[in-house]
Amino acid sequence: MHADACYGLPSSSSIRLEDLSVCLSVTALGRQGVPQAIDCCGFRRSSDVAFQNVAGKPGIEIWRIEDFKPVLLAQSEQGKFHEGDSYIVLKTTALKSGAFRYDVHFWLGKSTSQDEAGAAAIKTVELDAALGGRAVQYREVQGHESDLFLSYFKPCIIPLEGGVASGFKKVEEEEFEPHLYLCKGARVARVTQVPYARQSLNHDDVFILDTKDKIYQFNGANSSIQERGKALEVVQHLKDTNHSGSCAVVIVDDGKLGSAEDTGEFWGLFGGFAPLGRKPVTHDESKKEPFLAKLFCIGEDKPKEVEYGPVLKKHMLESYNCYLLDVGNDVFVWMGRDTSLEQRKAASLSAEEFISNQERPGFTHVTRVIEGFEIPKFKSYFEKWPRTSQSAFSEDGRGKVAAMLKQQGVDVKGLMKAAPSVEEAPPPLVESSGKLEVWRVDGNTRTTIPSEDHGKFFDVHCYIVLYTYHGDRKEDFLLCTWFGKNHSADEQAEALKLTNKMADKLKGRAVQVRVFQGKEPPQFLALFPCLIIREGKTSELQKETKYMLRVQGTSSYNSLAVQVDPVPMSLNSSECFIVLMGKVCYMWSGSFTNGEQQKVGMKVASLLQLNAKPVREGTEPSSFWNVLGGKQTGYPAHRDSKDGTRDPRLFCCSYTKGKLQTTEVFNFDQDDLLTEEVMILDTFTELYVWVGQHASAEEKEHALDFAQEHLDSKVAQDGMSPKATIYKIPEGCEPIFFTSYFNWRAIKVMADTYSKRLAKLQGRKIVATEHPEDGATQRKSAMAALSSVFGSPPEHPTSPRSSIGGSPRTPSSHINSASSQRAAALAALSAALGQPQAESSSFAPDADWVAVSSPSVKSEDGGSEVGTVTEEELEESTSGDGKFEYERLRATSANPVRGIDLRKRESYLSEEAFEKLFNMKKEKFYELPKWKQDQRKRVLDLF
């Protein structure tokens, strides 16, 4: 038997003890610590032979219960579920940490026998044992599946009639019968077959009628645009599955007159048009009373109550017992890591009996978790669940694991050694040739920081950083607000207010970032050669000649220098330090540092214009210790621990009656970012708030409040840092470090979810549509534009904003060109009145946008004018060989050159001018590292 299969670990020619030690999570120890007969491999031997060598790679494996035994289904049969059967589904996911996560579901068809359902429950426990006892197990009932389960089978599952006992039911092509389906859900489609009758239709849902020649989608008048869009995916699935991809698709909108022929034909199938009845209220949609969580210990008799909520604590769960947590709609079974296989099987059956005895609905969700592998939803019912890792309970038995593997013939040589450090892969970063601007917040104003001081921050201040770069669009913006650890509350409020004003001037296209000292993300650090953080105020430190800096990092995206107390105990053998005492300066490097760290240390000294003497730990001269007040030992020799790697999670946000509601989206991809929603991507160390273009005004306004509230809950539940970085990302302006979490495709046209999917289904070009709720906004825009054209000042009504969100637009954000204003007014008025425009007069939403970082030419009336440069104008401004004078190429030039690549201003200098300014030839300059090129360009105002 292969060791990898036994422990449910990734197949690898090199087995690490850190991975294998997880088997201790299922080693059965008695209450007195005496080993029992069942160990990890004992669990394995007790499981069904059908589960041998499972989970060798990521993916899905499915077994059907036949004669009370699991039978593995072929790949071609996956996703086909029969109403009369029970199934076991294993989803294996590769985590960022390199390990596997196992989710096991047993699915019960509505016509399956009680004996088969019981066999599925027991065999699921055996499958978990074969996986090393660390899978999360879910009970799924037809028609009430969890979102996680449905996310495996996109776009939907439509159970088939019959089962293995009845020999299934084969439907011949000539016997095709129409089926009417109710389709619910915005991200996972819950498809239920309903009686083929008019009485099944209502105004609130989406229905799909599948006939021999056509598929009809009926959109209830009160159904959401997201549900309609998801139903279109089901229509495509039916078209491909039942009609070989070729049949007509008809859309029938409730209350609207579509094609008379198609609409009449649809209603004719129901015996003619007639008013629809009201939607019936189902059990799970009715009003539910608040439920107080209850914790039960599962013993030999019936479950014994332990404690009521709302305050449950982790210490109530003992490793040698199993427990049942009842939260009303869901039941959890928690199994201690020191329990036997028979205990776990009995606990599973107790949950089934509990549901029956409590007269709960048969579709009540049951989730079984193993100690150490609890899911977030389970932990949320306990107060301040302690942060632990799998190693917390496996380190104690490293030697026992090695001994056990040796007995089984596994080569354990070298397993006890620490794993070698793996070189950190560079994270996705925005391009490095953009323009950087930095301001310090002083009261209610901002002070520009000169380029030579970019990246030199003081911990009592707040700073605003604007980075303008060339992305997929003309220019993109990264707008950051940095808060020093000793800043005042008033200064933070002013910093946010000033940032919001800048965001509005950028037409809401900037990605906003909130960064706290000590939690700087790579995307922020990469903007500077090295971020240097000093204590105190600027004015106080101008003449300071005694300080000590701790230097961390190996590259631009992780380099950071922070001031610490100039004493020996501040040193660390794994880091570098800059020690300045009067005229003496040292760059001290610990014995565990490498060459890259030492290079960063010397770079910091160079940025501070210090002539530092490199000193290696253990070779310090006596003068070094003298400046620190005397030699001491016992300082740390390890780096500060970082937050553990977690896989990202996506949440959909809604704001109902003043309360935030979040719903997790499982197995997400780019298509789950619905333009009508505000989404939160949670990576545990950072939060990305994605704001859809068609989200409601209220949700856009509170987007950052959503993130803060979500963060507060994660701090209490998962121990997430309360100062985690938060990004606000408008749809259409997604930076690379966000899109890297998706299999991203560039989107040229943004439209509502339904319109995009309908156009894809019909094979036509997507046309952007206006959000239904924006009609009043269009009319206001039209009137404002007309007022501006004819001399009346436009009104800018104020609206409440969140503490970190945007503020109302200011008049300065509007264009000053009279012709452009008239075009905008006519376009807005035409849209407001519903009049079509000629294609030549259409304009893009951002046509009036002016990049604040781009050079502009003053017009005669004093306004800015940005336009294209003709060949004649370009020829007049050059010297004939495509070169320009230095004064015209500078970023702050009063007479700038137009039509050039602003990222390569230096390339337009003549060879003589370039060598005179840079003191080197162009060839040598371009051989320098990128950060050195940028540094020299900043000094010459060519960046």
Side-chain angles (χ1 to χ4, degrees):
M1 179 174 59
H2 197 278
D4 290 4
C6 174
Y7 298 107
L9 296 172
S11 298
S12 172
S13 58
S14 175
I15 307 172
R16 298 188 310 162
L17 184 64
E18 287 83 344
D19 296 327
L20 295 179
S21 61
V22 74
C23 74
L24 287 179
S25 65
V26 293
T27 299
L29 299 176
R31 187 165 189 174
Q32 304 302 322
V34 179
Q36 297 177 357
I38 297 177
D39 61 7
C40 178
C41 293
F43 275 159
R44 175 73 188 190
R45 287 191 294 270
S46 301
S47 62
D48 197 287
V49 294
F51 299 139
Q52 290 183 358
N53 302 318
V54 297
K57 59 183 179 180
I60 293 178
E61 296 172 83
I62 303 178
W63 295 263
R64 180 171 53 230
I65 302 299
E66 300 181 10
D67 294 329
F68 311 113
K69 294 181 181 180
V71 176
L72 183 66
L73 293 184
Q75 190 82 16
S76 59
E77 294 297 308
Q78 291 188 3
K80 299 177 182 179
F81 296 91
H82 289 262
E83 296 177 344
D85 289 330
S86 297
Y87 297 80
I88 297 176
V89 177
L90 168 62
K91 176 66 163 63
T92 304
T93 305
L95 303 177
K96 282 190 172 183
S97 61
F100 283 158
R101 184 185 74 229
Y102 302 118
D103 294 291
V104 181
H105 307 254
F106 62 101
W107 184 89
L108 309 177
K110 67 180 183 180
S111 301
T112 192
S113 69
Q114 190 64 36
D115 290 339
E116 278 194 351
I122 294 301
K123 292 300 179 182
T124 300
V125 178
E126 293 183 13
L127 174 57
D128 171 55
L131 297 168
R134 52 198 180 113
V136 181
Q137 305 160 48
Y138 305 85
R139 176 180 182 268
E140 309 283 356
V141 177
Q142 180 182 342
H144 301 275
E145 297 87 351
S146 65
D147 286 1
L148 176 62
F149 182 80
L150 292 175
S151 70
Y152 304 152
F153 307 102
K154 294 182 178 179
C156 65
I157 60 172
I158 302 178
L160 306 172
E161 296 178 7
V164 65
S166 61
F168 307 109
K169 181 180 178 181
K170 297 181 180 180
V171 180
E172 302 297 335
E173 184 176 352
E174 61 269 21
E175 299 176 356
F176 189 95
E177 297 179 0
H179 290 86
L180 181 63
Y181 299 99
L182 167 63
C183 188
K184 299 176 68 68
R187 286 174 185 80
V188 290
R190 299 180 179 276
V191 181
T192 307
Q193 186 174 347
V194 294
Y196 177 24
R198 184 192 299 109
Q199 289 76 12
S200 297
L201 303 176
N202 62 63
H203 298 294
D204 300 309
D205 294 312
V206 180
F207 294 85
I208 299 172
L209 177 60
D210 186 12
T211 68
K212 184 177 181 180
D213 300 317
K214 290 184 180 180
I215 300 177
Y216 299 85
Q217 176 169 321
F218 175 80
N219 298 322
N222 300 327
S223 62
S224 71
I225 201 167
Q226 297 96 317
E227 286 183 312
R228 298 180 186 187
K230 178 55 67 174
L232 287 172
E233 294 184 353
V234 178
V235 169
Q236 182 68 62
H237 172 71
L238 292 172
K239 180 179 178 181
D240 296 337
T241 304
N242 297 345
H243 304 273
S244 302
S246 60
C247 75
V249 175
V250 176
I251 304 299
V252 179
D253 290 320
D254 182 17
K256 292 185 179 180
L257 294 176
S259 166
E261 180 181 352
D262 289 336
T263 303
E265 186 177 66
F266 171 78
W267 289 112
L269 295 173
F270 290 93
F273 176 80
L276 300 181
R278 299 186 65 178
K279 176 184 177 182
V281 178
T282 59
H283 184 279
D284 56 335
E285 292 172 335
S286 59
K287 185 177 180 181
K288 302 179 181 68
E289 296 295 330
F291 191 91
L292 194 62
K294 302 175 187 177
L295 184 66
F296 300 85
C297 181
I298 302 176
E300 295 180 0
D301 300 324
K302 64 179 182 179
K304 180 181 179 181
E305 190 173 303
V306 176
E307 191 67 56
Y308 271 92
V311 180
L312 299 175
K313 297 188 177 180
K314 169 68 168 62
H315 69 77
M316 298 175 181
L317 305 173
E318 298 172 315
S319 297
Y320 52 82
N321 276 331
C322 295
Y323 295 83
L324 186 148
L325 177 65
D326 179 18
V327 295
N329 298 323
D330 295 281
V331 171
F332 295 90
V333 176
W334 183 90
M335 296 172 280
R337 65 174 181 268
D338 296 340
T339 54
S340 68
L341 182 59
E342 294 307 316
Q343 280 180 283
R344 299 181 184 186
K345 288 183 178 180
S348 298
L349 294 177
S350 293
E352 299 289 334
E353 294 175 2
F354 180 85
I355 292 174
S356 177
N357 294 337
Q358 294 286 321
E359 298 183 351
R360 300 287 174 80
F363 54 79
T364 300
H365 286 127
V366 179
T367 305
R368 304 185 300 221
V369 296
I370 306 294
E371 180 180 4
F373 298 92
E374 297 87 353
I375 60 175
K377 188 174 182 179
F378 175 81
K379 293 189 289 187
S380 67
Y381 293 103
F382 292 80
E383 183 182 47
K384 296 182 179 178
W385 188 278
R387 284 187 63 188
T388 57
S389 63
Q390 296 171 11
S391 60
F393 53 80
S394 59
E395 287 295 324
D396 295 339
R398 291 168 66 88
K400 294 180 182 179
V401 175
M404 182 175 63
L405 294 177
K406 190 173 182 180
Q407 289 178 358
Q408 298 173 10
V410 179
D411 184 9
V412 297
K413 183 179 179 181
L415 284 180
M416 295 304 293
K417 296 181 180 179
S421 59
V422 180
E423 185 177 353
E424 183 181 1
L429 304 169
V430 297
E431 67 163 55
S432 59
S433 58
K435 180 178 180 180
L436 183 66
E437 299 170 88
V438 183
W439 297 270
R440 183 180 66 248
V441 177
D442 292 322
N444 57 0
T445 61
R446 55 181 185 172
T447 301
T448 302
I449 304 298
S451 58
E452 60 269 20
D453 289 330
H454 286 176
K456 299 176 183 178
F457 289 1
F458 296 88
D459 65 1
V460 298
H461 292 303
C462 298
Y463 292 82
I464 299 174
V465 178
L466 175 61
Y467 185 67
T468 307
Y469 63 99
H470 288 259
D472 293 334
R473 302 176 61 156
K474 183 178 181 180
E475 281 186 310
D476 287 326
F477 307 97
L478 196 60
L479 182 59
C480 313
T481 313
W482 183 88
F483 307 104
K485 67 178 182 179
N486 293 320
H487 72 277
S488 67
D490 291 340
E491 191 167 72
Q492 176 172 329
E494 288 298 331
L496 294 171
K497 188 183 299 183
L498 292 170
T499 303
N500 293 336
K501 290 182 179 179
M502 293 181 65
D504 285 335
K505 288 183 179 180
L506 296 173
K507 295 286 185 178
R509 289 187 49 228
V511 173
Q512 291 181 251
V513 192
R514 189 199 67 180
V515 182
F516 283 94
Q517 180 179 341
K519 294 295 180 181
E520 293 85 0
Q523 294 77 23
F524 181 79
L525 293 175
L527 301 178
F528 311 97
C530 182
L531 184 62
I532 303 172
I533 304 174
R534 302 277 301 278
E535 296 177 350
K537 296 182 179 180
T538 310
S539 58
E540 298 172 355
L541 298 176
Q542 286 179 345
K543 298 181 180 180
E544 185 184 25
T545 58
K546 296 181 180 181
Y547 58 83
M548 183 173 175
L549 296 175
R550 180 180 66 186
V551 182
Q552 298 172 307
T554 58
S555 184
S556 62
Y557 61 83
N558 60 17
S559 297
L560 180 66
V562 182
Q563 187 169 348
V564 295
D565 293 335
V567 296
M569 291 308 294
S570 294
L571 297 173
N572 189 310
S573 299
S574 296
E575 296 171 330
C576 297
F577 292 81
I578 301 295
V579 181
L580 176 66
M581 291 294 171
K583 296 182 180 180
V584 181
C585 182
Y586 296 96
M587 198 291 289
W588 182 90
S589 55
S591 57
F592 296 149
T593 59
N594 56 35
E596 294 301 318
Q597 289 175 280
Q598 295 160 22
K599 287 180 182 179
V600 173
M602 293 303 294
K603 182 172 75 171
V604 171
S606 175
L607 292 172
L608 294 172
Q609 299 181 347
L610 299 175
N611 185 18
K613 300 177 182 178
V615 175
R616 188 73 173 170
E617 181 180 5
T619 64
E620 304 91 346
S622 57
S623 57
F624 173 83
W625 295 112
N626 290 337
V627 297
L628 292 181
K631 185 174 182 178
Q632 292 183 23
T633 59
Y635 49 78
H638 57 83
R639 295 186 180 93
D640 293 337
S641 60
K642 296 182 179 180
D643 292 327
T645 302
R646 305 269 186 108
D647 279 62
R649 300 169 65 192
L650 184 67
F651 297 86
C652 171
C653 302
S654 60
Y655 201 58
T656 306
K657 296 181 180 179
K659 185 178 181 181
L660 173 65
Q661 302 286 342
T662 59
T663 304
E664 184 165 3
V665 181
F666 299 99
N667 297 303
F668 60 85
D669 56 28
Q670 185 182 354
D671 290 336
D672 289 306
L673 297 174
L674 303 185
T675 185
E676 299 83 12
E677 306 283 5
V678 172
M679 315 288 292
I680 293 179
L681 181 67
D682 180 354
T683 68
F684 189 69
T685 56
E686 300 170 352
L687 294 181
Y688 299 83
V689 190
W690 183 87
V691 184
Q693 188 184 55
H694 290 72
S696 69
E698 186 178 27
E699 289 176 337
K700 288 181 179 179
E701 178 182 342
H702 291 281
L704 281 162
D705 288 339
F706 291 170
Q708 185 60 56
E709 191 170 338
H710 178 85
L711 176 59
D712 293 342
S713 67
K714 295 287 287 183
V715 170
Q717 180 179 318
D718 271 356
M720 191 172 180
S721 170
K723 295 185 177 180
T725 301
I726 295 179
Y727 300 81
K728 181 181 179 182
I729 301 176
E731 182 183 8
C733 302
E734 296 87 354
I736 186 173
F737 50 82
F738 175 78
T739 60
S740 63
Y741 290 101
F742 304 83
N743 186 14
W744 196 262
R745 311 175 307 276
I747 299 176
K748 300 301 182 182
V749 179
M750 285 182 287
D752 65 78
T753 303
Y754 177 69
S755 298
K756 286 191 290 187
R757 291 178 179 171
L758 181 59
K760 181 180 179 181
L761 178 66
Q762 296 175 341
R764 57 180 173 80
K765 186 177 180 181
I766 300 174
V767 179
T769 59
E770 193 69 32
H771 191 263
E773 297 177 358
D774 290 343
T777 305
Q778 282 186 309
R779 292 182 178 88
K780 289 182 180 179
S781 300
M783 296 307 298
L786 285 173
S787 297
S788 177
V789 171
F790 296 110
S792 301
E795 296 181 1
H796 299 279
T798 59
S799 60
R801 296 279 177 172
S802 63
S803 58
I804 309 179
S807 58
R809 289 185 177 180
T810 58
S812 60
S813 65
H814 290 274
I815 54 174
N816 295 311
S817 167
S819 60
S820 298
Q821 281 185 312
R822 291 186 180 93
L826 290 173
L829 185 59
S830 297
L833 300 178
Q835 297 174 356
Q837 278 187 275
E839 186 174 350
S840 60
S841 63
S842 63
F843 68 104
D846 293 323
D848 62 344
W849 167 71
V850 179
V852 298
S853 60
S854 301
S856 58
V857 178
K858 295 291 181 180
S859 61
E860 293 179 359
D861 61 357
S864 285
E865 185 174 301
V866 176
T868 57
V869 182
T870 64
E871 293 183 5
E872 291 78 12
E873 290 175 317
L874 187 61
E875 186 175 352
E876 290 177 2
S877 61
T878 65
S879 57
D881 58 354
K883 304 301 178 183
F884 300 88
E885 296 178 358
Y886 167 63
E887 289 300 322
R888 296 199 61 198
L889 290 170
R890 293 177 57 188
T892 56
S893 173
N895 182 26
V897 180
R898 295 185 294 165
I900 63 172
D901 187 346
L902 302 180
R903 297 170 294 180
K904 298 181 179 179
R905 295 175 186 269
E906 78 285 353
S907 64
Y908 297 94
L909 289 167
S910 65
E911 293 291 338
E912 297 78 10
F914 186 96
E915 190 170 349
K916 182 178 180 180
L917 289 167
F918 288 88
N919 293 321
M920 65 176 67
K921 293 186 178 294
K922 285 187 178 181
E923 295 79 13
K924 291 291 184 182
F925 174 79
Y926 289 117
E927 291 176 1
L928 294 174
K930 190 68 174 63
W931 68 268
K932 283 191 176 182
Q933 295 181 27
D934 293 344
Q935 187 178 19
R936 298 196 180 204
K937 287 163 63 175
R938 283 192 182 98
V939 172
L940 294 171
D941 197 22
L942 292 173
F943 188 75

